[in-house]
């Protein structure tokens, strides 16, 4: 704490200083603990002070108990559409927010095309390139209705979705573009017949195909009204010239983003901390106009004080992109402070269409709970 | 798998397979918040191998119990997050539905519907 400084010209007594608040941190330490200061060259105080005994010498308990967390934690939804959502999480730490983001991107299961059985491909797109493109097409189906398919399992109606693609460009007709709406769902399983070696196979039974469907997937109640189709019907898969043909069957299975990015259910998911823009001194008249024109996203506004004097105010701090234009130049760093609030996260989730974004987030939290449970059972 | 000493069980390193930063950072955060913990940290010995080593040193309680408590805390926090999130989404959808109804009723008839906020 400050002692009577001998260098100060005016008389300075420590009895004039404000009291240190008891049970709370003094304001400058509270600023260090809860805000990231974004200076001209680099941000400082970026780490979160998690250690429970961090402020023990001041008599302040930094440990977080569950009741304090549940009292302070809030979620506010800003935007919620069919495919994307933006919401604020207030009172949570960066470690947990990052865990949710990692799970959303890499560990939520989806269905995507994995095996492509090509019967005929005379187009200029190579087999493997065509199969790769098919794998990346997002499919509108709830992955929770399916099981994983492991190596020893046989593909059946519980773990595989079969699509067929048969397009042909006749001689003399113009070139055609094959879009993803040409993928037709086969609810009864594969139609390609496996070649069996023994000629004495009983011809009365059904020929063996590449999947072993017990019943048609159309009978499952969720698929009665919603057939399984790709989410976007206008994705270009291939282009055919006259006389070229593609005939193939694609099998979609369940997987997670860690194995291959085609199984990631989000286009992306990201978060940023809430920006806080603070004017350290009153900025008036010409300086205010200059400040307002500097900001490319119009964070600042001018308010009239009457008698022709104007003052700058912070109108939309949430829009700040941290371009630091407002602190570029001499002296501006003393007037404007750019900060980030460490426990307020603005989450944005963009879904590729398999599940709506609010369901994705709930599933991600469930997966984190399952991981914890696994660790607990491993320890006991 | 716990690597510690047989005589002193207040300090140990736990080696978890098939895990990465996702759970290790979250558990480390919760461990730090526990007042019984003097030191905690995690490391990933090699990025190609999915293994995490979590080191816990406590003020006397067995490290295994402290880690289990931290995981339990994390689970309860997650449940709390889920409940709060679901409620917030429901409230948002409800308020949007009310707004849509208000706009519809203002378009069709001239009356203003009651504000429910």
């Amino acid at each position: 704490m400050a002692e009577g400084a001998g260098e100060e010209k005016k008389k300075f007594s420590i009895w004039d200083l404000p009291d240190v608040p008891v049970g709370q941190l003094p304001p400058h330490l509270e600023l260090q603990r809860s805000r990231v200061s974004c200076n001209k060259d680099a941000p400082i105080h970026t780490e979160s002070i998690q250690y429970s005994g961090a402020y023990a010498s001041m008599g302040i308990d930094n440990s977080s108990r569950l009741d304090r967390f549940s009292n302070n934690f809030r979620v506010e939804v800003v935007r919620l559409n069919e495919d994307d959502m933006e919401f604020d999480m207030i009172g949570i730490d960066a470690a947990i927010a990052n865990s949710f983001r990692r799970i959303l991107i890499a560990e939520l299961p989806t269905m995507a095309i994995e095996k492509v059985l090509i019967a005929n491909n005379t187009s200029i797109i190579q087999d493997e390139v065509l199969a790769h493109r098919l794998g990346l097409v997002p499919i509108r189906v709830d992955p929770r209705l399916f099981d994983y398919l492991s190596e020893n399992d046989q593909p059946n109606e519980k773990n595989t979705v079969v699509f067929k693609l048969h397009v042909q460009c006749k001689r003399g007709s113009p070139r055609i573009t094959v879009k993803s709406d040409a993928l037709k769902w086969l609810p009864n399983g594969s139609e390609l017949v496996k070649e069996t070696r023994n000629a004495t196979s009983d011809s009365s039974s059904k020929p063996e195909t590449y999947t072993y469907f017990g019943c048609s997937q159309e009978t499952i109640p969720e698929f009665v009204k919603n057939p399984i189709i790709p989410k976007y019907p206008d994705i270009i898969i291939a282009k055919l010239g006259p006389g070229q043909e593609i005939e193939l069957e694609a099998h979609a299975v369940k997987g997670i983003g860690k194995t291959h990015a085609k199984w990631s259910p989000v286009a992306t998911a990201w978060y940023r901390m809430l920006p806080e823009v603070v004017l350290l001194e009153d900025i008036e008249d010409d300086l205010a106009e200059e400040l307002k024109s500097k900001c490319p996203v119009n964070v600042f506004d001018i308010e009239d004080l009457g008698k022709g004097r104007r003052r700058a105010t912070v109108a939309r701090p949430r829009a700040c992109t941290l371009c630091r234009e407002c602190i570029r130049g001499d002296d501006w760093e003393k007037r404007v402070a750019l900060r980030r609030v460490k426990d307020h996260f603005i989450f944005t989730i963009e879904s590729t269409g398999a599940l709506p974004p609010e369901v994705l987030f709930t599933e991600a939290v469930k997966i984190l709970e399952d991981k914890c449970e696994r660790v607990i059972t491993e320890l006991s | 798998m716990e690597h510690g000493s047989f005589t002193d069980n207040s300090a140990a390193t736990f080696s978890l397979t098939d895990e990465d930063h996702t759970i290790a950072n979250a558990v480390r955060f919760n461990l730090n918040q526990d007042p019984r913990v003097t030191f905690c940290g995690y490391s990933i010995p090699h990025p190609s191998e999915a293994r995490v080593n979590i080191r816990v040193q406590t003020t006397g309680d067995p490290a295994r119990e402290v880690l289990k408590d931290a995981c339990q805390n994390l689970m309860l926090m997650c449940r709390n997050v889920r409940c709060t999130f679901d409620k917030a989404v429901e409230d948002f959808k409800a308020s949007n539905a009310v707004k849509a109804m208000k706009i519809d009723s203002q378009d069709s008839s001239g009356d203003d519907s009651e504000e429910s906020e």
Side-chain angles (χ1 to χ4, degrees), chain A residues 7-74:
Chain A
E7 294 96 28
E8 300 263 352
K9 287 220 175 104
K10 53 183 185 201
K11 285 272 181 234
F12 180 74
S13 162
I14 54 172
W15 305 113
D16 296 334
L17 290 169
D19 287 335
V20 178
V22 180
Q24 271 180 22
L25 283 176
H28 64 288
L29 285 184
E30 183 65 26
L31 189 74
Q32 260 187 29
R33 190 186 69 88
S34 66
R35 304 282 192 273
V36 175
S37 304
C38 303
N39 296 340
K40 199 149 72 163
D41 44 358
I44 52 176
H45 308 311
T46 53
E47 72 287 347
S48 51
I49 316 257
Q50 302 161 355
Y51 181 48
S52 61
Y55 300 112
S57 56
M58 310 195 65
I60 289 162
D61 182 16
N62 199 23
S63 74
S64 103
R65 271 156 299 143
L66 201 57
D67 47 355
R68 243 197 317 183
F69 170 77
S70 38
N71 286 343
N72 296 343
F73 180 64
R74 272 177 14 239

Side-chain angles (χ1 to χ4, degrees), chain B residues 18-67:
Chain B
D18 281 337
E19 299 292 353
D20 57 356
H21 301 276
T22 308
I23 188 151
N25 202 14
V27 167
R28 181 194 60 94
F29 164 71
N30 260 348
L31 275 172
N32 249 324
Q33 303 282 313
D34 195 334
R36 299 175 285 178
V37 164
T38 57
F39 176 85
C40 71
Y42 78 94
S43 75
I44 300 199
H46 195 280
S48 306
E49 189 191 348
R51 179 180 288 271
V52 174
N53 291 342
I54 303 184
R55 173 83 184 162
V56 184
Q57 282 173 209
T58 70
T59 53
D61 287 12
R64 184 180 281 253
E65 300 303 316
V66 173
L67 184 60

Side-chain angles (χ1 to χ4, degrees), chain A residues 320-333:
Chain A
C320 174
T321 55
L322 213 63
C323 65
R324 290 184 172 94
E325 266 305 313
C326 45
I327 51 177
R328 198 182 300 259
D330 318 318
D331 289 346
W332 277 105
E333 260 202 300

Side-chain angles (χ1 to χ4, degrees), chain A residues 275-332:
Chain A
E276 192 185 44
V277 183
V278 174
L279 296 174
L280 297 171
E281 36 178 64
D282 271 342
I283 299 184
E284 303 194 343
D285 300 330
D286 292 334
L287 278 183
E289 294 285 342
E290 196 188 330
L291 183 61
K292 180 171 170 184
S293 58
K294 268 204 212 187
C295 183
V297 283
N298 296 331
V299 169
F300 301 100
D301 249 351
I302 307 277
E303 68 169 346
D304 276 325
L305 289 176
K307 294 195 221 158
R309 289 174 57 225
R310 304 167 314 251
R311 190 173 59 184
T313 54
V314 180
R316 285 162 292 269
R318 198 186 158 103
C320 174
T321 55
L322 213 63
C323 65
R324 290 184 172 94
E325 266 305 313
C326 45
I327 51 177
R328 198 182 300 259
D330 318 318
D331 289 346
W332 277 105

Side-chain angles (χ1 to χ4, degrees), chain A residues 347-358:
Chain A
F347 243 97
T348 314
I349 302 180
E350 290 179 8
S351 159
T352 49
L355 289 169
E358 66 269 13

